[in-house]
């Protein structure tokens, strides 16, 4: 297999956009958690506490998504350096590790999105139950 120095560079734009999306998700969830905590401090509603725990899990997953995304970017840059000094085989292994980290990051992202969808479905089912009791 022949790997040129430009190949790892292809990951830069994709990885930086993914990291930006992860950061936006983190900031949005952090804002929701702060709002729910204020509401919980006033109402002491147990369902709010369950929601906060769910969001805490999602924040943890996002942290790991970011970790593996940054590691992927780091390994891409390191792989380019290794390819620059013409250590082809080591460069291939490092780039492969970079791709593996990116795959792990995307897999965790899918897991986090699945949790988010389940939580939204619970909210929608509560809304539909309320609507059905009014009828």
């Amino acid at each position: 297999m022949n790997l040129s120095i430009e190949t790892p560079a292809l990951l830069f734009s994709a990885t930086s956009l993914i990291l930006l999306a992860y950061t936006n998700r983190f900031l949005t969830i952090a804002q929701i958690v702060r709002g729910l905590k204020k509401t919980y401090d006033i109402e002491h509603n147990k369902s709010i506490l369950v929601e906060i725990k769910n969001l805490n899990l999602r924040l943890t997953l996002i942290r790991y998504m970011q970790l593996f995304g940054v590691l992927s970017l780091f390994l891409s840059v390191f792989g380019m350096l290794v390819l620059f000094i013409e250590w082809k085989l080591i460069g291939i292994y490092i780039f492969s590790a970079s791709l593996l980290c990116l795959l792990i990051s995307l897999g965790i992202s899918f897991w986090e999105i699945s949790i988010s969808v389940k939580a939204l479905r619970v909210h929608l089912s509560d809304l539909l139950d309320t609507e059905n009791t009014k009828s």
Side-chain angles (χ1 to χ4, degrees):
M1 177 179 179
N2 193 12
L3 184 67
S4 69
I5 196 167
E6 294 88 14
T7 306
L10 294 173
L11 284 183
F12 285 6
S13 60
T15 307
S16 61
L17 287 174
I18 287 171
L19 290 173
L20 181 62
Y22 292 169
T23 301
N24 286 339
R25 285 158 95 173
F26 177 83
L27 293 173
T28 301
I29 292 173
Q31 184 179 2
I32 293 169
V33 167
R34 287 185 188 103
L36 285 173
K37 184 180 179 321
K38 285 181 185 177
T39 305
Y40 180 77
D41 288 343
I42 296 168
E43 297 178 14
H44 297 291
N45 187 338
K46 208 167 199 172
S47 67
I48 293 174
L49 196 57
V50 171
E51 250 184 278
I52 290 173
K53 286 180 182 178
N54 180 304
L55 291 170
N56 186 41
L57 172 61
R58 289 179 60 200
L59 287 172
T60 301
L61 291 175
I62 291 171
R63 182 179 62 206
Y64 285 113
M65 290 160 36
Q66 290 173 327
L67 171 76
F68 282 103
V70 168
L71 190 56
S72 173
L73 188 60
F74 175 82
L75 288 172
S76 289
V77 172
F78 190 62
M80 286 177 63
L81 176 68
V82 168
L83 289 170
F84 182 73
I85 57 177
E86 297 186 4
W87 292 350
K88 299 285 185 191
L89 186 61
I90 295 172
I92 290 170
Y93 286 128
I94 291 172
F95 182 62
S96 298
S98 172
L99 291 175
L100 180 63
C101 287
L102 185 57
L103 280 173
I104 291 169
S105 176
L106 293 171
I108 296 170
S109 175
F110 181 76
W111 181 13
E112 190 268 333
I113 289 169
S114 298
I115 292 170
S116 174
V117 168
K118 286 178 188 174
L120 288 173
R121 286 198 174 131
V122 167
H123 281 292
L124 289 175
S125 69
D126 288 348
L127 180 65
L128 292 174
D129 291 343
T130 304
E131 191 64 33
N132 288 336
T133 56
K134 289 181 181 179
S135 308

